[in-house]
Amino acid sequence: MNKTPRSPGHHSHATLASVAKRAGVSIATVSRVVNGAPVKIAATTVLAVRKAVADLDYRPQSAGRALRKGTTQIIAVLAANLGNPTMAAIASSIEHALRGNGYVMLLCDTHEQADIQDEYLREMEALRVRAVIMVVAVPSPKLDEFRQAGIPLVFVNRRDPVRSSFPYVGIDNAAAGRDVADYCLSQGWQDIAVIHASLVYSAGRERLQGFLDRLQQSGKGLHPVRQFGSSGLDHLRIGEQAMQQVLAQPVRPDVVVCLSDLLAYGAYKQASGTGLAIPHDMTLISFDDGPLNQWIAQWLSAVRIPYELIGDAVISVLTSMLDSPNEASLRLKEPVDKIIPHQLIIRG
Amino acid sequence: MNKTPRSPGHHSHATLASVAKRAGVSIATVSRVVNGAPVKIAATTVLAVRKAVADLDYRPQSAGRALRKGTTQIIAVLAANLGNPTMAAIASSIEHALRGNGYVMLLCDTHEQADIQDEYLREMEALRVRAVIMVVAVPSPKLDEFRQAGIPLVFVNRRDPVRSSFPYVGIDNAAAGRDVADYCLSQGWQDIAVIHASLVYSAGRERLQGFLDRLQQSGKGLHPVRQFGSSGLDHLRIGEQAMQQVLAQPVRPDVVVCLSDLLAYGAYKQASGTGLAIPHDMTLISFDDGPLNQWIAQWLSAVRIPYELIGDAVISVLTSMLDSPNEASLRLKEPVDKIIPHQLIIRG
DNA sequence: TAGCATAATGCAAACGTTTACATAAACCAT
DNA sequence: ATGGTTTATGTAAACGTTTGCATTATGCTA
């Protein structure tokens, strides 16, 4: 007796074998019942298996399944910065949508650093996740290799920085920039400043481009748009410093357009620390409009990304990718972007 | 020929077998080298294996490992609400600490609902995660069962709601409450109101208790502390409604103590929407002090939870649990709570 | 030289699933 | 009755890993 070395598993969870034994059938049958396999199974058998499953509180072990099927129900979300409320809200939205579709979200924070992003991508490959959702990605070697790896990728908020061969979900940033320009023009503001972080990525670049284009199109004789900012990771501090430069100018602009919420937060702190009343003395406009703005940043007008819609949008893109039988079509097909509507919220 | 059905795995990742073949050794040897097994291996062999691993870009597949060892490197974080910046910051901190220790974070949003929490707990069991970190938990049946399941649990910010048999990481909420009371007394405020959400959980309850106790101890003849609030999930809205009630009172309190940041945000919106200037007309004090406060909520004094310390604190608790050879000691031993220091930040 | 400890590596089983294939039972048409 | 088809279920292999045990090669002692 006592032939149980039982090395690894501490507590014996129910397994297919134990359920099969209890139901008096083979493990194959249990598997088929549990998975609703497309074969006919006697009603009595189904009932017996169901009962055994319930009795033993059986749940398929993900490891065995993953090993056999070569994939899991895990979908990874690589976010650049969880400290950013907009990104957290997007993550939450995605989580909700994924859960509703039987997936589990694996959320990571890349801190917008290529090496961390790569490390995570490798890890995701080893975990055999079903797909990866990049919420604000940076270019990295592994990202490029992923094209070949056959794991679907979706880019949220910022487009694929290497080549646009994977779908993008987010707002039309150029159009959003134009909307802000239109609003500025409608207000008759003459002197406009822009605060930006890095402009090498699609979101910021397109926002600025759209904004400037429309101003120029207008033909109105505006003062030249002054731009402040630097590339870096901490938008809050960039915004703060940029606003410092803005206020050091001989003449104060009517409006400062910040390319993200966090830039605006940083700018706000600096401006109000200097005694300025926002928006009385100077208007601030930003992009993103995270969920907290309406509560504690009523001084900030912003282009709203409807983060609560992102989850479903990602799911719809993803399912179309996962359904395509061969991933050849996935590569050949034009990436099917999903543009979600934005809205300029005027406050203050 | 063509004997490759190759049903599941699409792209052939490197495996132990392929590495072994290339290095001219057995898979056992490769495994040992890769894992740094405590056996002597010829230097030349190690080199050959290392080379093959590098050549093929081999990474151990998590599924095989999980199946064999009965556990993974995944640690789940079940957060109540990712939309809460403090919680997001905590998650980010934990992520950082876990990654530094070779774990991967699986982050979920329970929306503070027992059924979702349970569903996730079951899923984590099936995934054979190494441990689960509950950032603000609610009582649920499965949570109770976990005590037997042998999976380590750590409670952050809110204590184990069922029985306190698992460690807690967070601030000393009662002491924080007393600190706020001391500050109010030092300011000579006579008329104090409290805004709270549900009081059935440890964090809010202890904060309020400590606060009221200290006020009473002081012996000063204060007006009775008025309490407003309701139980519910959306602290923002609860705070808003509670402030509405506060302002409907015949006499306006000197200070309103909110048991969380979000409650204060809600209260702030309502108050400033009614024309009040915060903190000139009324002081607001809250608990949590999420990372954004210093930027855009300079009107809010708050007890700061040093969220950036939580990650390391959790790790230290966790490793002591994981190191204990048998989980008997884990259950018998008094839970080793980790109290991190708080600090009352005065602003405005 | 034999005998034996030690060092390095290989063999094979096990972890829990899914699924192609085999089998057995039942039915039906000749 | 016979052969063929359908229906329900079982058998066994495979996924990639870790690890107890067996095996071989090496060095040392007597």
Side-chain angles (χ1 to χ4, degrees):
Chain A
M1 287 302 134
N2 193 12
K3 54 166 299 199
T4 58
R6 183 164 278 299
S7 32
H10 317 290
H11 288 263
S12 46
H13 300 259
T15 90
L16 271 190
S18 63
V19 173
K21 191 166 157 201
R22 185 169 233 268
V25 297
S26 76
I27 61 168
T29 302
V30 178
S31 174
R32 287 191 265 254
V33 169
V34 168
N35 296 338
V39 297
K40 296 227 61 167
I41 304 192
T44 62
T45 309
V46 172
L47 245 54
V49 170
R50 290 257 164 74
K51 173 144 182 5
V53 165
D55 288 351
L56 296 174
D57 195 27
Y58 169 75
R59 261 211 154 197
Q61 300 265 339
S62 159
R65 190 174 273 190
L67 190 54
R68 171 65 217 234
K69 312 238 299 185
T71 187
T72 61
Q73 288 300 98
I74 300 178
I75 290 187
V77 175
L78 268 57
N81 174 18
L82 286 181
N84 184 332
T86 311
M87 231 168 275
I90 288 174
S92 180
S93 164
I94 292 177
E95 190 266 0
H96 192 260
L98 289 182
R99 180 160 45 81
N101 287 67
Y103 297 108
V104 200
M105 176 180 79
L106 180 59
L107 178 55
C108 308
D109 190 332
T110 67
H111 303 269
E112 207 161 346
Q113 288 176 11
D115 54 339
I116 299 182
Q117 178 176 294
D118 262 14
E119 180 54 27
Y120 271 128
L121 286 174
R122 305 178 70 87
E123 184 71 29
M124 295 314 131
E125 220 171 2
L127 275 174
R128 315 217 72 151
V129 300
R130 193 63 144 282
V132 178
I133 301 169
M134 311 285 313
V135 183
V136 176
V138 294
S140 72
K142 196 71 196 167
L143 192 59
D144 217 20
E145 286 177 33
F146 248 60
R147 259 159 266 278
Q148 262 67 32
I151 300 180
L153 233 48
V154 177
F155 289 81
V156 175
N157 256 24
R158 183 190 286 174
R159 308 185 110 93
D160 183 348
V162 183
R163 219 168 318 131
S164 294
S165 49
F166 278 110
Y168 160 81
V169 172
I171 65 170
D172 180 341
N173 284 295
R178 290 192 292 271
D179 287 354
V180 173
D182 281 337
Y183 178 68
C184 290
L185 292 167
S186 80
Q187 297 293 305
W189 288 321
Q190 295 288 317
D191 200 334
I192 301 178
V194 169
I195 291 182
H196 61 81
S198 169
L199 289 174
V200 307
Y201 303 114
S202 68
R205 188 165 21 85
E206 292 169 9
R207 288 169 184 180
L208 182 57
Q209 195 71 57
F211 179 71
L212 295 176
D213 282 358
R214 175 57 55 97
L215 286 186
Q216 195 170 9
Q217 283 169 19
S218 80
K220 302 221 177 133
L222 303 170
H223 296 204
V225 173
R226 286 171 288 173
Q227 300 181 20
F228 303 87
S230 57
S231 59
L233 300 180
D234 190 343
H235 282 214
L236 290 160
R237 229 162 274 286
I238 294 174
E240 184 181 33
Q241 287 166 5
M243 179 55 89
Q244 200 169 6
Q245 293 173 35
V246 169
L247 298 180
Q249 301 280 311
V251 48
R252 187 204 303 154
D254 302 310
V255 58
V256 176
V257 175
C258 304
L259 296 192
S260 77
D261 271 355
L262 293 188
L263 287 170
Y265 296 171
Y268 173 81
K269 185 186 183 192
Q270 178 68 32
S272 48
T274 321
L276 254 61
I278 309 285
H280 179 265
D281 297 334
M282 184 168 68
T283 299
L284 282 184
I285 303 181
S286 75
F287 294 78
D288 286 352
D289 200 43
L292 256 30
N293 283 5
Q294 61 171 307
W295 297 91
I296 55 171
Q298 290 277 359
W299 40 266
L300 182 61
S301 294
V303 173
R304 181 148 192 282
I305 298 174
Y307 39 85
E308 71 281 359
L309 298 183
I310 298 256
D312 287 335
V314 166
I315 279 287
S316 84
V317 168
L318 218 44
T319 48
S320 87
M321 295 176 83
L322 292 171
D323 286 352
S324 52
N326 51 357
E327 72 279 354
S329 70
L330 196 152
R331 261 203 302 271
L332 293 176
K333 213 166 29 182
E334 274 300 281
V336 272
D337 294 349
K338 187 108 187 177
I339 304 300
I340 55 177
H342 62 269
Q343 189 188 359
L344 176 57
I345 309 277
I346 303 300
R347 296 198 189 87
Chain B
M1 289 302 132
N2 193 13
K3 56 165 298 198
T4 59
R6 182 163 278 298
S7 33
H10 318 289
H11 289 263
S12 47
H13 299 259
T15 85
L16 272 189
S18 64
V19 174
K21 190 166 157 197
R22 185 169 234 267
V25 297
S26 75
I27 61 168
T29 302
V30 178
S31 173
R32 287 192 264 255
V33 170
V34 168
N35 295 338
V39 296
K40 295 227 61 166
I41 304 192
T44 62
T45 310
V46 172
L47 246 54
V49 171
R50 288 258 164 74
K51 175 147 183 354
V53 165
D55 288 352
L56 296 175
D57 195 27
Y58 169 74
R59 261 211 155 198
Q61 300 265 340
S62 160
R65 191 172 271 191
L67 191 53
R68 172 65 218 229
K69 312 237 299 182
T71 187
T72 61
Q73 288 300 99
I74 301 177
I75 290 187
V77 175
L78 268 57
N81 173 18
L82 285 180
N84 183 334
T86 310
M87 232 169 273
I90 289 174
S92 181
S93 164
I94 293 177
E95 190 267 1
H96 192 260
L98 289 182
R99 179 161 45 81
N101 287 68
Y103 298 107
V104 200
M105 177 181 77
L106 180 59
L107 179 54
C108 310
D109 191 332
T110 68
H111 303 270
E112 207 160 346
Q113 287 175 11
D115 54 340
I116 300 182
Q117 178 176 294
D118 263 13
E119 180 53 28
Y120 271 128
L121 285 174
R122 305 177 70 87
E123 184 70 30
M124 295 314 132
E125 221 172 1
L127 275 173
R128 312 218 73 152
V129 300
R130 194 62 143 285
V132 178
I133 301 169
M134 310 287 311
V135 184
V136 176
V138 293
S140 72
K142 195 71 194 165
L143 192 59
D144 217 21
E145 286 177 33
F146 249 60
R147 256 158 268 279
Q148 262 67 34
I151 301 179
L153 232 50
V154 177
F155 289 82
V156 176
N157 256 23
R158 182 189 285 174
R159 292 176 187 281
D160 183 347
V162 183
R163 217 169 319 133
S164 293
S165 48
F166 279 111
Y168 160 81
V169 172
I171 65 171
D172 180 341
N173 284 296
R178 289 192 291 270
D179 288 355
V180 172
D182 282 337
Y183 179 68
C184 288
L185 291 167
S186 79
Q187 296 294 304
W189 288 321
Q190 294 290 315
D191 200 335
I192 302 178
V194 169
I195 291 182
H196 62 81
S198 170
L199 289 175
V200 308
Y201 303 115
S202 68
R205 188 165 20 87
E206 292 169 8
R207 288 169 184 181
L208 182 58
Q209 194 73 59
F211 180 71
L212 295 177
D213 283 356
R214 177 56 56 94
L215 285 187
Q216 195 170 11
Q217 283 169 21
S218 80
K220 301 219 178 138
L222 304 170
H223 295 205
V225 174
R226 285 171 289 174
Q227 302 181 19
F228 303 87
S230 57
S231 58
L233 300 179
D234 190 344
H235 281 214
L236 290 161
R237 228 162 275 285
I238 293 174
E240 184 181 33
Q241 287 167 3
M243 181 55 91
Q244 199 169 7
Q245 293 174 35
V246 169
L247 299 179
Q249 301 280 310
V251 48
R252 186 205 302 154
D254 303 310
V255 57
V256 176
V257 175
C258 303
L259 296 191
S260 78
D261 271 356
L262 294 189
L263 287 170
Y265 295 171
Y268 173 82
K269 186 186 183 194
Q270 177 67 32
S272 49
T274 321
L276 255 59
I278 309 283
H280 179 266
D281 296 334
M282 185 168 68
T283 299
L284 281 185
I285 304 181
S286 74
F287 294 79
D288 287 351
D289 200 42
L292 257 29
N293 283 4
Q294 61 171 308
W295 296 92
I296 54 170
Q298 291 277 359
W299 40 266
L300 182 60
S301 295
V303 173
R304 182 146 191 281
I305 297 175
Y307 39 84
E308 70 281 0
L309 299 182
I310 299 256
D312 288 333
V314 166
I315 281 287
S316 82
V317 168
L318 218 45
T319 47
S320 87
M321 295 176 82
L322 292 171
D323 287 351
S324 54
N326 50 359
E327 73 279 352
S329 70
L330 198 151
R331 260 202 302 271
L332 293 177
K333 215 167 26 184
E334 272 300 281
V336 273
D337 293 350
K338 188 109 184 176
I339 304 300
I340 56 177
H342 62 268
Q343 190 187 0
L344 176 56
I345 310 276
I346 302 300
R347 298 198 189 87

